[in-house]
Amino acid sequence: MLRRLGLMILMLSVALLTSGCWDSQELNTLSIISATSIDRSNGKWEISFQVVIPQSIATQTGGGSAGSQSPTTIFSTKGRSIAEAMQNASLETSRKLFFAHNSVLILSEDVARKEGVGEILDFFLRPFESRETMSVLLTKGKASNLLEVLIPLEKISGNAIQRIIDQSQKNLSQAQNMRLIDFARMVASLDESAMAPELEVSGDLTKQSSLDALKSTRNDAVIKLGELGVFRKDKLVGWIDQKDSRSVAWLSDRVSSMMVVFPCTAKGQENQLLSYRVLKSSTKLEPKVIHGKSVIHAKISATGVIDESGCNLDLKNPGVVRDLERTISKQIGGDVMETWSHLQEMNVDLAGFMNAIHRKDPSTWRNLMKTKRPIEEISLRVQVKINIEHTNMITKPYSSLLKDQKF
């Protein structure tokens, strides 16, 4: 009996050691996708893929050079549905599409406005290898054009786009990195309006899509972030500019770093500018009901430093510093109120006001949800408190030193 049990254990051990991975895939059978775009053409979905060419980006030794071939290639497929378009890719490529490294999804404005993003999200949330952390972006032109731009500092432009978004979110706080899973949650939410940053090409696309562009010291075209696309449910309804995007960041407590440029407070120097760099900030939303009306009290506080001064001011004087703090507070408060008016006109909630009301007062939230334009029923009151921590290494503008020179 013991001998038979030992033999069974031995057979099971051998089977486990020799079975290998049941779902393993060889790299030379895969088309590794770094970015995807979606357009509409003649009533069909047009899906374009940026495929990495491994031998081109690999570091080579000896006499070979990886610079003689483009690091990526682009191909497109069409279909009545997104799944059919993906299936039709097999007619054009000898390798299986592999989406585990797909970091960017770019949608054309035409698709987002007319078709909506429901079908797109349904498809990309289903496959097990699809990345829920891929960035969702919009473009006002043809989305596949963005995949063709070659970027000298990055071998794979899909990765470069991802880093541009990360840097903008970190340093400017005006373009949030909208991950697929977060975008899908906002689209499905009753309380929030979804948003996605715009990506655009500035310059001559035809020249920057040629391999010769990588040999030039100046780019003929660059990829950059533009406005912010605003959704109502699953469809794009409009755009807000960069100024409004910054105000949305203030209201939604997403300011990590930002440069605020404001005019000098001294008489006769109104055309001179100063730059205030935000180091840290916080925003608290307090929903209230006043005389039967919903009111949001937004309390914004920020601490930062003066990075540049074109004004002849004595920044060692506490009274002067307090005047600057009041000027910055007034400017931020005015910008925020102006942006809120724009959001009310579009009937979208990018700042999470409805969510704050829902948590604090569910009955008020239910009453608002019964109206056709609930955002217009909400009043906003803004309180901004700015603190100038220091003025860096100098307390007077450099221009004042030049005025003291006598020749």
Side-chain angles (χ1 to χ4, degrees):
M1 183 66 179
L2 290 175
R3 183 179 179 183
R4 182 179 297 177
L5 181 61
L7 182 60
M8 291 177 64
I9 294 174
L10 179 61
M11 292 175 64
L12 286 172
S13 300
V14 171
L16 290 173
L17 291 172
T18 59
S19 62
C21 297
W22 66 271
D23 61 346
S24 64
Q25 302 181 81
E26 297 294 334
L27 287 177
N28 60 4
T29 65
L30 302 175
S31 288
I32 299 176
I33 308 297
S34 59
T36 304
S37 69
I38 301 182
D39 294 286
R40 289 284 289 184
S41 177
N42 298 323
K44 291 186 176 181
W45 295 97
E46 181 178 334
I47 320 295
S48 300
F49 311 96
Q50 185 181 81
V51 180
V52 177
I53 303 176
Q55 61 268 29
S56 177
I57 64 173
T59 302
Q60 297 186 6
T61 58
S65 173
S68 60
Q69 185 180 10
S70 173
T72 59
T73 186
I74 312 296
F75 71 90
S76 303
T77 65
K78 293 182 181 180
R80 293 168 298 175
S81 69
I82 297 176
E84 184 180 66
M86 293 288 187
Q87 187 69 30
N88 290 341
S90 301
L91 303 175
E92 302 182 36
T93 177
S94 59
R95 301 186 179 189
K96 179 186 176 183
L97 301 181
F98 186 68
F99 287 92
H101 295 280
N102 186 35
S103 59
V104 174
L105 176 63
I106 307 172
L107 312 178
S108 71
E109 179 182 15
D110 186 60
V111 165
R113 279 190 184 275
K114 297 179 181 179
E115 305 299 328
V117 296
E119 188 174 343
I120 296 170
L121 293 174
D122 182 271
F123 176 83
F124 280 96
L125 289 173
R126 287 179 184 272
F128 69 91
E129 68 181 28
S130 181
R131 294 178 61 174
E132 294 181 347
T133 57
M134 75 171 77
S135 298
V136 179
L137 297 116
L138 304 170
T139 186
K140 293 178 180 177
K142 191 173 177 61
S144 60
N145 289 344
L146 277 299
L147 305 182
E148 299 176 10
V149 180
L150 296 176
I151 301 176
L153 292 178
E154 299 285 348
K155 292 182 178 180
I156 304 173
S157 59
N159 295 345
I161 293 171
Q162 179 70 62
R163 292 180 182 178
I164 289 172
I165 302 168
D166 291 338
Q167 287 296 318
S168 179
Q169 177 173 293
K170 179 180 178 181
N171 298 324
L172 301 177
S173 299
Q174 68 185 37
Q176 183 180 1
N177 182 10
M178 188 55 59
R179 302 183 306 167
L180 179 72
I181 188 65
D182 296 327
F183 182 69
R185 177 187 56 79
M186 294 173 75
V187 168
S189 174
L190 293 175
D191 297 328
E192 294 181 89
S193 298
M195 55 186 168
E198 177 203 4
L199 201 63
E200 60 181 348
V201 178
S202 177
D204 191 340
L205 172 65
T206 57
K207 292 183 179 180
Q208 198 61 31
S209 59
S210 168
L211 195 58
D212 292 335
L214 300 180
K215 303 174 184 178
S216 175
T217 57
R218 184 181 293 274
N219 295 339
D220 290 297
V222 295
I223 290 178
K224 65 178 185 179
L225 294 172
E227 297 182 318
L228 189 67
V230 180
F231 288 75
R232 190 180 305 122
K233 295 185 179 179
D234 69 330
K235 290 191 176 182
L236 179 72
V237 294
W239 302 89
I240 60 174
D241 60 22
Q242 295 182 359
K243 180 181 176 181
D244 284 341
S245 297
R246 289 192 291 270
S247 294
V248 169
W250 282 116
L251 286 173
S252 54
D253 196 22
R254 289 191 290 102
V255 174
S256 56
S257 178
M258 182 185 291
M259 191 67 68
V260 180
V261 179
F262 62 101
C264 183
T265 56
K267 188 175 181 180
Q269 299 185 48
E270 292 84 2
N271 293 329
Q272 305 300 319
L273 299 175
L274 295 92
S275 297
Y276 172 75
R277 177 164 54 92
V278 178
L279 299 177
K280 59 182 179 180
S281 76
S282 67
T283 300
K284 294 182 179 179
L285 302 179
E286 295 183 0
K288 295 183 179 181
V289 177
I290 301 177
H291 303 304
K293 296 290 186 179
S294 294
V295 179
I296 293 287
H297 285 262
K299 296 182 178 180
I300 300 172
S301 61
T303 299
V305 299
I306 298 296
D307 259 4
E308 180 184 9
S309 173
C311 304
N312 189 15
L313 297 174
D314 183 10
L315 297 179
K316 292 183 294 184
N317 186 333
V320 172
V321 173
R322 284 194 293 270
D323 285 342
L324 295 180
E325 291 174 341
R326 284 192 288 268
T327 300
I328 300 170
S329 299
K330 184 178 179 181
Q331 178 170 307
I332 293 174
D335 290 345
V336 167
M337 291 303 299
E338 185 178 343
T339 296
W340 177 238
S341 295
H342 296 163
L343 298 181
Q344 285 185 309
E345 291 173 4
M346 301 171 69
N347 194 33
V348 293
D349 179 15
L350 301 182
F353 286 0
M354 292 294 291
N355 193 22
I357 294 172
H358 193 183
R359 293 196 305 268
K360 179 72 177 292
D361 189 349
S363 62
T364 299
W365 175 83
R366 283 192 292 269
N367 291 333
L368 285 172
M369 291 300 293
K370 293 176 183 178
T371 64
K372 291 183 178 180
R373 300 178 65 86
I375 306 305
E376 291 185 350
E377 303 295 324
I378 302 173
S379 297
L380 174 64
R381 297 180 183 177
V382 180
Q383 177 185 339
V384 183
K385 183 179 181 181
I386 294 297
N387 174 47
I388 297 177
E389 195 170 67
H390 58 78
T391 60
N392 281 312
M393 298 295 289
I394 60 176
T395 57
K396 290 186 177 181
Y398 184 76
S399 58
S400 66
L401 301 179
L402 300 178
K403 292 179 181 179
D404 294 337
Q405 293 181 0
K406 297 180 180 179
F407 292 100

mmCIF file of all heavy atoms in Angstrom, residues 70-110:
data_model
loop_
_atom_site.group_PDB
_atom_site.id
_atom_site.type_symbol
_atom_site.label_atom_id
_atom_site.label_comp_id
_atom_site.label_asym_id
_atom_site.label_seq_id
_atom_site.Cartn_x
_atom_site.Cartn_y
_atom_site.Cartn_z
ATOM 1 N N SER A 70 12.583 52.548 -38.138
ATOM 2 C CA SER A 70 11.672 53.191 -37.202
ATOM 3 C C SER A 70 11.415 52.275 -36.004
ATOM 4 O O SER A 70 11.282 51.059 -36.172
ATOM 5 C CB SER A 70 10.345 53.504 -37.909
ATOM 6 O OG SER A 70 9.397 53.980 -36.979
ATOM 7 N N PRO A 71 11.369 52.825 -34.796
ATOM 8 C CA PRO A 71 11.146 51.990 -33.608
ATOM 9 C C PRO A 71 9.743 51.411 -33.524
ATOM 10 O O PRO A 71 9.503 50.464 -32.781
ATOM 11 C CB PRO A 71 11.414 52.947 -32.449
ATOM 12 C CG PRO A 71 11.168 54.297 -33.018
ATOM 13 C CD PRO A 71 11.582 54.228 -34.446
ATOM 14 N N THR A 72 8.790 52.009 -34.266
ATOM 15 C CA THR A 72 7.420 51.510 -34.243
ATOM 16 C C THR A 72 6.838 51.514 -35.654
ATOM 17 O O THR A 72 7.354 52.187 -36.545
ATOM 18 C CB THR A 72 6.512 52.385 -33.343
ATOM 19 O OG1 THR A 72 6.533 53.738 -33.833
ATOM 20 C CG2 THR A 72 6.971 52.356 -31.898
ATOM 21 N N THR A 73 5.782 50.782 -35.841
ATOM 22 C CA THR A 73 5.041 50.802 -37.095
ATOM 23 C C THR A 73 3.551 50.941 -36.784
ATOM 24 O O THR A 73 3.106 50.534 -35.697
ATOM 25 C CB THR A 73 5.299 49.532 -37.931
ATOM 26 O OG1 THR A 73 4.668 49.670 -39.206
ATOM 27 C CG2 THR A 73 4.753 48.289 -37.239
ATOM 28 N N ILE A 74 2.810 51.513 -37.701
ATOM 29 C CA ILE A 74 1.383 51.756 -37.490
ATOM 30 C C ILE A 74 0.580 50.979 -38.525
ATOM 31 O O ILE A 74 0.917 50.986 -39.704
ATOM 32 C CB ILE A 74 1.040 53.255 -37.639
ATOM 33 C CG1 ILE A 74 2.010 54.136 -36.842
ATOM 34 C CG2 ILE A 74 -0.404 53.516 -37.222
ATOM 35 C CD1 ILE A 74 1.975 53.936 -35.374
ATOM 36 N N PHE A 75 -0.461 50.299 -38.081
ATOM 37 C CA PHE A 75 -1.397 49.711 -39.038
ATOM 38 C C PHE A 75 -2.814 49.855 -38.499
ATOM 39 O O PHE A 75 -3.032 49.981 -37.293
ATOM 40 C CB PHE A 75 -1.053 48.257 -39.359
ATOM 41 C CG PHE A 75 -1.296 47.276 -38.253
ATOM 42 C CD1 PHE A 75 -2.526 46.636 -38.117
ATOM 43 C CD2 PHE A 75 -0.301 46.968 -37.342
ATOM 44 C CE1 PHE A 75 -2.752 45.732 -37.105
ATOM 45 C CE2 PHE A 75 -0.517 46.061 -36.325
ATOM 46 C CZ PHE A 75 -1.750 45.441 -36.210
ATOM 47 N N SER A 76 -3.765 49.879 -39.414
ATOM 48 C CA SER A 76 -5.166 50.129 -39.046
ATOM 49 C C SER A 76 -6.068 49.034 -39.585
ATOM 50 O O SER A 76 -5.766 48.421 -40.621
ATOM 51 C CB SER A 76 -5.631 51.489 -39.601
ATOM 52 O OG SER A 76 -4.798 52.538 -39.150
ATOM 53 N N THR A 77 -7.169 48.794 -38.874
ATOM 54 C CA THR A 77 -8.186 47.842 -39.315
ATOM 55 C C THR A 77 -9.559 48.465 -39.132
ATOM 56 O O THR A 77 -9.724 49.420 -38.374
ATOM 57 C CB THR A 77 -8.118 46.534 -38.503
ATOM 58 O OG1 THR A 77 -8.448 46.808 -37.136
ATOM 59 C CG2 THR A 77 -6.744 45.903 -38.576
ATOM 60 N N LYS A 78 -10.547 47.937 -39.841
ATOM 61 C CA LYS A 78 -11.909 48.442 -39.757
ATOM 62 C C LYS A 78 -12.885 47.316 -39.474
ATOM 63 O O LYS A 78 -12.613 46.148 -39.784
ATOM 64 C CB LYS A 78 -12.306 49.138 -41.059
ATOM 65 C CG LYS A 78 -11.543 50.415 -41.349
ATOM 66 C CD LYS A 78 -12.032 51.065 -42.639
ATOM 67 C CE LYS A 78 -11.260 52.342 -42.949
ATOM 68 N NZ LYS A 78 -11.732 52.987 -44.201
ATOM 69 N N GLY A 79 -14.025 47.656 -38.881
ATOM 70 C CA GLY A 79 -15.056 46.658 -38.608
ATOM 71 C C GLY A 79 -16.340 47.316 -38.183
ATOM 72 O O GLY A 79 -16.363 48.488 -37.784
ATOM 73 N N ARG A 80 -17.445 46.567 -38.266
ATOM 74 C CA ARG A 80 -18.743 47.097 -37.838
ATOM 75 C C ARG A 80 -18.796 47.275 -36.336
ATOM 76 O O ARG A 80 -19.522 48.119 -35.825
ATOM 77 C CB ARG A 80 -19.854 46.160 -38.306
ATOM 78 C CG ARG A 80 -20.043 46.104 -39.815
ATOM 79 C CD ARG A 80 -20.945 44.970 -40.202
ATOM 80 N NE ARG A 80 -20.380 43.674 -39.820
ATOM 81 C CZ ARG A 80 -20.996 42.504 -39.946
ATOM 82 N NH1 ARG A 80 -22.245 42.475 -40.422
ATOM 83 N NH2 ARG A 80 -20.404 41.400 -39.584
ATOM 84 N N SER A 81 -18.046 46.467 -35.618
ATOM 85 C CA SER A 81 -17.900 46.602 -34.168
ATOM 86 C C SER A 81 -16.416 46.667 -33.849
ATOM 87 O O SER A 81 -15.571 46.355 -34.698
ATOM 88 C CB SER A 81 -18.551 45.416 -33.438
ATOM 89 O OG SER A 81 -17.809 44.228 -33.684
ATOM 90 N N ILE A 82 -16.089 47.062 -32.636
ATOM 91 C CA ILE A 82 -14.674 47.136 -32.251
ATOM 92 C C ILE A 82 -14.059 45.748 -32.245
ATOM 93 O O ILE A 82 -12.936 45.550 -32.710
ATOM 94 C CB ILE A 82 -14.544 47.803 -30.872
ATOM 95 C CG1 ILE A 82 -15.065 49.233 -30.941
ATOM 96 C CG2 ILE A 82 -13.104 47.792 -30.393
ATOM 97 C CD1 ILE A 82 -15.082 49.960 -29.613
ATOM 98 N N ALA A 83 -14.821 44.771 -31.747
ATOM 99 C CA ALA A 83 -14.308 43.401 -31.709
ATOM 100 C C ALA A 83 -14.039 42.869 -33.121
ATOM 101 O O ALA A 83 -13.044 42.189 -33.364
ATOM 102 C CB ALA A 83 -15.292 42.495 -30.974
ATOM 103 N N GLU A 84 -14.932 43.198 -34.063
ATOM 104 C CA GLU A 84 -14.728 42.749 -35.443
ATOM 105 C C GLU A 84 -13.496 43.414 -36.048
ATOM 106 O O GLU A 84 -12.722 42.762 -36.767
ATOM 107 C CB GLU A 84 -15.957 43.063 -36.290
ATOM 108 C CG GLU A 84 -15.857 42.541 -37.726
ATOM 109 C CD GLU A 84 -17.095 42.862 -38.537
ATOM 110 O OE1 GLU A 84 -17.354 44.060 -38.797
ATOM 111 O OE2 GLU A 84 -17.811 41.917 -38.908
ATOM 112 N N ALA A 85 -13.305 44.697 -35.749
ATOM 113 C CA ALA A 85 -12.118 45.389 -36.252
ATOM 114 C C ALA A 85 -10.845 44.751 -35.705
ATOM 115 O O ALA A 85 -9.864 44.563 -36.437
ATOM 116 C CB ALA A 85 -12.180 46.866 -35.884
ATOM 117 N N MET A 86 -10.866 44.395 -34.435
ATOM 118 C CA MET A 86 -9.708 43.732 -33.831
ATOM 119 C C MET A 86 -9.469 42.379 -34.489
ATOM 120 O O MET A 86 -8.334 41.992 -34.770
ATOM 121 C CB MET A 86 -9.941 43.544 -32.332
ATOM 122 C CG MET A 86 -9.997 44.831 -31.532
ATOM 123 S SD MET A 86 -8.381 45.603 -31.373
ATOM 124 C CE MET A 86 -8.787 46.941 -30.231
ATOM 125 N N GLN A 87 -10.552 41.658 -34.756
ATOM 126 C CA GLN A 87 -10.429 40.354 -35.396
ATOM 127 C C GLN A 87 -9.855 40.490 -36.802
ATOM 128 O O GLN A 87 -9.042 39.674 -37.243
ATOM 129 C CB GLN A 87 -11.794 39.670 -35.449
ATOM 130 C CG GLN A 87 -11.772 38.227 -35.935
ATOM 131 C CD GLN A 87 -11.112 37.296 -34.934
ATOM 132 O OE1 GLN A 87 -11.161 37.548 -33.734
ATOM 133 N NE2 GLN A 87 -10.476 36.236 -35.423
ATOM 134 N N ASN A 88 -10.257 41.544 -37.503
ATOM 135 C CA ASN A 88 -9.767 41.763 -38.857
ATOM 136 C C ASN A 88 -8.286 42.106 -38.909
ATOM 137 O O ASN A 88 -7.674 42.092 -39.977
ATOM 138 C CB ASN A 88 -10.578 42.869 -39.544
ATOM 139 C CG ASN A 88 -11.993 42.432 -39.866
ATOM 140 O OD1 ASN A 88 -12.287 41.229 -39.917
ATOM 141 N ND2 ASN A 88 -12.882 43.394 -40.073
ATOM 142 N N ALA A 89 -7.715 42.438 -37.744
ATOM 143 C CA ALA A 89 -6.281 42.710 -37.714
ATOM 144 C C ALA A 89 -5.471 41.486 -38.122
ATOM 145 O O ALA A 89 -4.351 41.605 -38.623
ATOM 146 C CB ALA A 89 -5.877 43.163 -36.317
ATOM 147 N N SER A 90 -6.052 40.316 -37.920
ATOM 148 C CA SER A 90 -5.355 39.084 -38.299
ATOM 149 C C SER A 90 -5.137 38.990 -39.806
ATOM 150 O O SER A 90 -4.294 38.216 -40.275
ATOM 151 C CB SER A 90 -6.150 37.862 -37.818
ATOM 152 O OG SER A 90 -6.315 37.888 -36.414
ATOM 153 N N LEU A 91 -5.894 39.773 -40.579
ATOM 154 C CA LEU A 91 -5.727 39.777 -42.023
ATOM 155 C C LEU A 91 -4.511 40.597 -42.456
ATOM 156 O O LEU A 91 -4.083 40.509 -43.607
ATOM 157 C CB LEU A 91 -6.987 40.345 -42.698
ATOM 158 C CG LEU A 91 -8.313 39.648 -42.380
ATOM 159 C CD1 LEU A 91 -9.458 40.396 -43.012
ATOM 160 C CD2 LEU A 91 -8.272 38.201 -42.859
ATOM 161 N N GLU A 92 -3.998 41.418 -41.526
ATOM 162 C CA GLU A 92 -2.926 42.340 -41.891
ATOM 163 C C GLU A 92 -1.617 42.101 -41.153
ATOM 164 O O GLU A 92 -0.586 42.630 -41.557
ATOM 165 C CB GLU A 92 -3.376 43.783 -41.635
ATOM 166 C CG GLU A 92 -4.627 44.190 -42.387
ATOM 167 C CD GLU A 92 -4.996 45.638 -42.135
ATOM 168 O OE1 GLU A 92 -4.066 46.451 -42.004
ATOM 169 O OE2 GLU A 92 -6.194 45.938 -42.061
ATOM 170 N N THR A 93 -1.654 41.377 -40.066
ATOM 171 C CA THR A 93 -0.431 41.152 -39.307
ATOM 172 C C THR A 93 -0.207 39.667 -39.107
ATOM 173 O O THR A 93 -1.156 38.888 -38.962
ATOM 174 C CB THR A 93 -0.488 41.857 -37.932
ATOM 175 O OG1 THR A 93 0.695 41.549 -37.195
ATOM 176 C CG2 THR A 93 -1.699 41.420 -37.132
ATOM 177 N N SER A 94 1.064 39.280 -39.098
ATOM 178 C CA SER A 94 1.408 37.862 -38.943
ATOM 179 C C SER A 94 1.499 37.451 -37.478
ATOM 180 O O SER A 94 1.717 36.275 -37.185
ATOM 181 C CB SER A 94 2.751 37.583 -39.632
ATOM 182 O OG SER A 94 3.782 38.395 -39.069
ATOM 183 N N ARG A 95 1.333 38.421 -36.585
ATOM 184 C CA ARG A 95 1.472 38.125 -35.166
ATOM 185 C C ARG A 95 0.207 38.502 -34.402
ATOM 186 O O ARG A 95 -0.551 39.371 -34.824
ATOM 187 C CB ARG A 95 2.675 38.874 -34.578
ATOM 188 C CG ARG A 95 3.997 38.523 -35.249
ATOM 189 C CD ARG A 95 5.160 39.175 -34.542
ATOM 190 N NE ARG A 95 6.438 38.825 -35.157
ATOM 191 C CZ ARG A 95 7.626 39.122 -34.645
ATOM 192 N NH1 ARG A 95 7.687 39.797 -33.496
ATOM 193 N NH2 ARG A 95 8.732 38.758 -35.261
ATOM 194 N N LYS A 96 0.030 37.887 -33.262
ATOM 195 C CA LYS A 96 -1.129 38.148 -32.415
ATOM 196 C C LYS A 96 -0.953 39.475 -31.683
ATOM 197 O O LYS A 96 0.124 39.787 -31.158
ATOM 198 C CB LYS A 96 -1.302 37.021 -31.392
ATOM 199 C CG LYS A 96 -2.473 37.234 -30.445
ATOM 200 C CD LYS A 96 -2.505 36.162 -29.361
ATOM 201 C CE LYS A 96 -3.623 36.450 -28.354
ATOM 202 N NZ LYS A 96 -3.648 35.473 -27.254
ATOM 203 N N LEU A 97 -2.038 40.285 -31.637
ATOM 204 C CA LEU A 97 -1.990 41.544 -30.916
ATOM 205 C C LEU A 97 -1.867 41.295 -29.411
ATOM 206 O O LEU A 97 -2.596 40.487 -28.840
ATOM 207 C CB LEU A 97 -3.246 42.372 -31.198
ATOM 208 C CG LEU A 97 -3.519 42.733 -32.656
ATOM 209 C CD1 LEU A 97 -4.782 43.566 -32.758
ATOM 210 C CD2 LEU A 97 -2.345 43.480 -33.268
ATOM 211 N N PHE A 98 -0.941 42.018 -28.792
ATOM 212 C CA PHE A 98 -0.682 41.845 -27.360
ATOM 213 C C PHE A 98 -0.807 43.205 -26.690
ATOM 214 O O PHE A 98 -0.017 44.120 -26.937
ATOM 215 C CB PHE A 98 0.716 41.261 -27.155
ATOM 216 C CG PHE A 98 1.024 40.911 -25.725
ATOM 217 C CD1 PHE A 98 0.363 39.863 -25.098
ATOM 218 C CD2 PHE A 98 1.984 41.614 -25.013
ATOM 219 C CE1 PHE A 98 0.638 39.528 -23.782
ATOM 220 C CE2 PHE A 98 2.268 41.282 -23.698
ATOM 221 C CZ PHE A 98 1.598 40.240 -23.088
ATOM 222 N N PHE A 99 -1.832 43.372 -25.825
ATOM 223 C CA PHE A 99 -2.186 44.682 -25.284
ATOM 224 C C PHE A 99 -1.674 44.931 -23.869
ATOM 225 O O PHE A 99 -1.969 45.972 -23.289
ATOM 226 C CB PHE A 99 -3.711 44.847 -25.290
ATOM 227 C CG PHE A 99 -4.287 45.060 -26.652
ATOM 228 C CD1 PHE A 99 -4.715 43.980 -27.405
ATOM 229 C CD2 PHE A 99 -4.391 46.325 -27.185
ATOM 230 C CE1 PHE A 99 -5.253 44.167 -28.671
ATOM 231 C CE2 PHE A 99 -4.926 46.532 -28.443
ATOM 232 C CZ PHE A 99 -5.355 45.447 -29.192
ATOM 233 N N ALA A 100 -0.907 44.015 -23.317
ATOM 234 C CA ALA A 100 -0.469 44.172 -21.925
ATOM 235 C C ALA A 100 0.414 45.403 -21.724
ATOM 236 O O ALA A 100 0.538 45.911 -20.612
ATOM 237 C CB ALA A 100 0.264 42.923 -21.457
ATOM 238 N N HIS A 101 1.032 45.911 -22.790
ATOM 239 C CA HIS A 101 1.906 47.085 -22.686
ATOM 240 C C HIS A 101 1.271 48.327 -23.324
ATOM 241 O O HIS A 101 1.950 49.340 -23.505
ATOM 242 C CB HIS A 101 3.260 46.801 -23.344
ATOM 243 C CG HIS A 101 4.047 45.733 -22.646
ATOM 244 N ND1 HIS A 101 4.771 45.979 -21.497
ATOM 245 C CD2 HIS A 101 4.192 44.417 -22.913
ATOM 246 C CE1 HIS A 101 5.355 44.857 -21.100
ATOM 247 N NE2 HIS A 101 5.014 43.893 -21.938
ATOM 248 N N ASN A 102 -0.002 48.241 -23.650
ATOM 249 C CA ASN A 102 -0.688 49.378 -24.251
ATOM 250 C C ASN A 102 -0.938 50.441 -23.173
ATOM 251 O O ASN A 102 -1.726 50.233 -22.251
ATOM 252 C CB ASN A 102 -2.018 48.926 -24.857
ATOM 253 C CG ASN A 102 -2.715 50.029 -25.620
ATOM 254 O OD1 ASN A 102 -2.059 50.853 -26.246
ATOM 255 N ND2 ASN A 102 -4.032 50.049 -25.574
ATOM 256 N N SER A 103 -0.277 51.601 -23.291
ATOM 257 C CA SER A 103 -0.344 52.609 -22.236
ATOM 258 C C SER A 103 -1.244 53.779 -22.578
ATOM 259 O O SER A 103 -1.573 54.572 -21.693
ATOM 260 C CB SER A 103 1.064 53.136 -21.923
ATOM 261 O OG SER A 103 1.659 53.702 -23.075
ATOM 262 N N VAL A 104 -1.662 53.917 -23.858
ATOM 263 C CA VAL A 104 -2.422 55.087 -24.279
ATOM 264 C C VAL A 104 -3.570 54.672 -25.188
ATOM 265 O O VAL A 104 -3.393 53.842 -26.086
ATOM 266 C CB VAL A 104 -1.507 56.091 -25.033
ATOM 267 C CG1 VAL A 104 -2.321 57.229 -25.607
ATOM 268 C CG2 VAL A 104 -0.428 56.618 -24.108
ATOM 269 N N LEU A 105 -4.753 55.262 -24.956
ATOM 270 C CA LEU A 105 -5.920 55.076 -25.814
ATOM 271 C C LEU A 105 -6.403 56.460 -26.243
ATOM 272 O O LEU A 105 -6.808 57.267 -25.403
ATOM 273 C CB LEU A 105 -7.029 54.325 -25.074
ATOM 274 C CG LEU A 105 -8.356 54.145 -25.819
ATOM 275 C CD1 LEU A 105 -8.158 53.307 -27.074
ATOM 276 C CD2 LEU A 105 -9.409 53.502 -24.920
ATOM 277 N N ILE A 106 -6.337 56.744 -27.549
ATOM 278 C CA ILE A 106 -6.693 58.065 -28.073
ATOM 279 C C ILE A 106 -7.990 57.960 -28.866
ATOM 280 O O ILE A 106 -8.102 57.145 -29.787
ATOM 281 C CB ILE A 106 -5.570 58.615 -28.979
ATOM 282 C CG1 ILE A 106 -4.226 58.591 -28.243
ATOM 283 C CG2 ILE A 106 -5.901 60.034 -29.423
ATOM 284 C CD1 ILE A 106 -3.053 58.936 -29.117
ATOM 285 N N LEU A 107 -8.968 58.797 -28.528
ATOM 286 C CA LEU A 107 -10.265 58.802 -29.193
ATOM 287 C C LEU A 107 -10.440 60.109 -29.959
ATOM 288 O O LEU A 107 -10.102 61.183 -29.442
ATOM 289 C CB LEU A 107 -11.396 58.663 -28.170
ATOM 290 C CG LEU A 107 -11.255 57.553 -27.116
ATOM 291 C CD1 LEU A 107 -12.432 57.605 -26.158
ATOM 292 C CD2 LEU A 107 -11.137 56.194 -27.769
ATOM 293 N N SER A 108 -10.986 60.025 -31.157
ATOM 294 C CA SER A 108 -11.252 61.236 -31.917
ATOM 295 C C SER A 108 -12.489 61.934 -31.360
ATOM 296 O O SER A 108 -13.370 61.305 -30.765
ATOM 297 C CB SER A 108 -11.456 60.916 -33.399
ATOM 298 O OG SER A 108 -12.689 60.248 -33.605
ATOM 299 N N GLU A 109 -12.555 63.245 -31.554
ATOM 300 C CA GLU A 109 -13.713 64.009 -31.102
ATOM 301 C C GLU A 109 -14.989 63.505 -31.761
ATOM 302 O O GLU A 109 -16.044 63.428 -31.123
ATOM 303 C CB GLU A 109 -13.514 65.497 -31.425
ATOM 304 C CG GLU A 109 -14.682 66.376 -31.003
ATOM 305 C CD GLU A 109 -14.486 67.831 -31.362
ATOM 306 O OE1 GLU A 109 -13.597 68.131 -32.181
ATOM 307 O OE2 GLU A 109 -15.211 68.686 -30.809
ATOM 308 N N ASP A 110 -14.903 63.147 -33.037
ATOM 309 C CA ASP A 110 -16.068 62.660 -33.768
ATOM 310 C C ASP A 110 -16.650 61.406 -33.110
ATOM 311 O O ASP A 110 -17.864 61.273 -32.961
ATOM 312 C CB ASP A 110 -15.674 62.372 -35.219
ATOM 313 C CG ASP A 110 -16.863 61.987 -36.084
ATOM 314 O OD1 ASP A 110 -17.795 62.799 -36.200
ATOM 315 O OD2 ASP A 110 -16.860 60.856 -36.636
#
